[in-house]
Amino acid sequence: MPHRPQNVFVLGLDDANLPALQTVPNAHDLRFHHLLSIEELQQGEVSVPDLIDRACKVLDGFDGTIDAIVGFWDFPVSTLVAVLGERYGTRATSLESVVKCEHKYWSRLVQAEVVSEHPNFGRVDLDADDPQPPEGVSFPMWLKPALAYSSELAYGVTDMTEFREAVEKIRNGIQRVGRPFEYILDQLELPPEMAGVGAQVCLAEETLEGLQVAVEGYVHDGEATVYGVLDSINYPDSTSFLRHQYPSALPAPVQQRLRDVSERVMRHIGMNEATFSIEFFYNPRTDSIAILEINPRHSQSHAELFQYVDGVPNHHSMLALALGNDPALPNREGPYALAAKWYFRWFTDGVVRQIPPADEVAKIAESVPGVRIDVVPEEAQRLSDVGQQDSYSYEVAHIFTGGDSEEELREKYDHCVAALRLSFDSPTAHSA
């Protein structure tokens, strides 16, 4: 009897991630199917019921078995994986466990039940005539919605003037994601401490200091496992990422503490048969760690990094969990000792004047071993119109590099930036 390929439906499957998915072990036995586009899922104000209906039409119309439904993006993808998994009987963690991670205020409450490694936090009343910082939360602090894409609407503030300005921006923009998130909250039986909180809530938390680090792992059969620790390095004097680098250069005892806290929190949240990623700060001066945020999915941004260093992209764990297989990743079996994802950014608004054609971008990458390049905006596009950007900069290219030293990683990055020759006009000059 011939072996039947397994059908995997990927929410928001894009051209950048398909090649990595196709390199997981036994990928020849898998058939990857698109399930809704990134544009449908994350542009504008989405309607969760409409997305569920559209996804169900695709799945109901499929002439074959539905063996797995997966995704590696933030809301609404992470919640849709849980909702559709329950409806079609595919393996997925519970919707409640996803929302306990994604709702930043609820997540802080849950974290505080089992760990102390988190900043002081509280809610800001956006409906008040004169909103004030929560009691016990001091400047400098960050203001952010309960849910947002990337770091959209997240503002660092140092005094009441900046606080009020940030509150006004969040007030004006929070409903784009907050209103669809309300639909998801309505599906859950919320605990008393979440009564009346809702999805359009603003969180304030004291600013963390130190080195930023990301921890990735999965929960399988109720056991949490961390499979990677990565350093997140910012541009100088900026809160915007310059690169993610794997593996982390932090001392082994610090990494073990990160693992211990991550595993304790994820067990308490109740995730199962799913991947996760947690962002931390480590302060070398005080030797302290603190959770920045928890994501109920692994980071697709890191797929090439694990492939370069360990020999398999981290997508493997997600797919294995969804299909009932062993989710463990190999260790250091890739061609490089180090890998990085670089963010080439522009720090003022502009209009893209020139982007090399796709075949030329491919040639630049192919000319240097261990390199992949994704250009983010399109030619003639205004940077402020590009989605999924943080509040302080614009991503114009993602450059993945593998190497045997940090110097080699940087040399490859610098070569690619120079070869791309991206250029920008000021918005005013372009509109004149």
Side-chain angles (χ1 to χ4, degrees), residues 197-208:
V197 173
Q200 298 187 58
V201 62
C202 177
L203 180 70
E205 48 192 38
E206 288 182 3
T207 298
L208 297 171

Side-chain angles (χ1 to χ4, degrees), residues 1 31 35 100 106 159 202 204 222 277 281 312 338 368:
M1 185 174 177
R31 298 292 179 268
L35 185 57
K100 279 183 179 178
W106 193 4
D159 55 34
C202 177
S277 60
F281 271 89
V312 172
L338 297 170
V368 184

Side-chain angles (χ1 to χ4, degrees), residues 33 70 77 301 418:
H33 304 274
V70 299
V77 170
S301 294

Side-chain angles (χ1 to χ4, degrees), residues 242-287:
L242 169 62
R243 72 183 186 272
H244 298 298
Q245 186 167 305
Y246 178 64
S248 170
L250 289 176
V254 176
Q255 293 194 39
Q256 187 57 50
R257 286 162 56 200
L258 293 167
R259 292 170 184 271
D260 292 343
V261 170
S262 300
E263 292 169 1
R264 195 184 327 152
V265 166
M266 297 318 296
R267 283 196 303 269
H268 184 64
I269 284 173
M271 283 193 78
N272 200 25
E273 307 310 323
T275 56
F276 63 84
S277 60
I278 305 179
E279 295 179 36
F280 284 88
F281 271 89
Y282 169 65
N283 190 327
R285 183 174 55 82
T286 60
D287 193 34

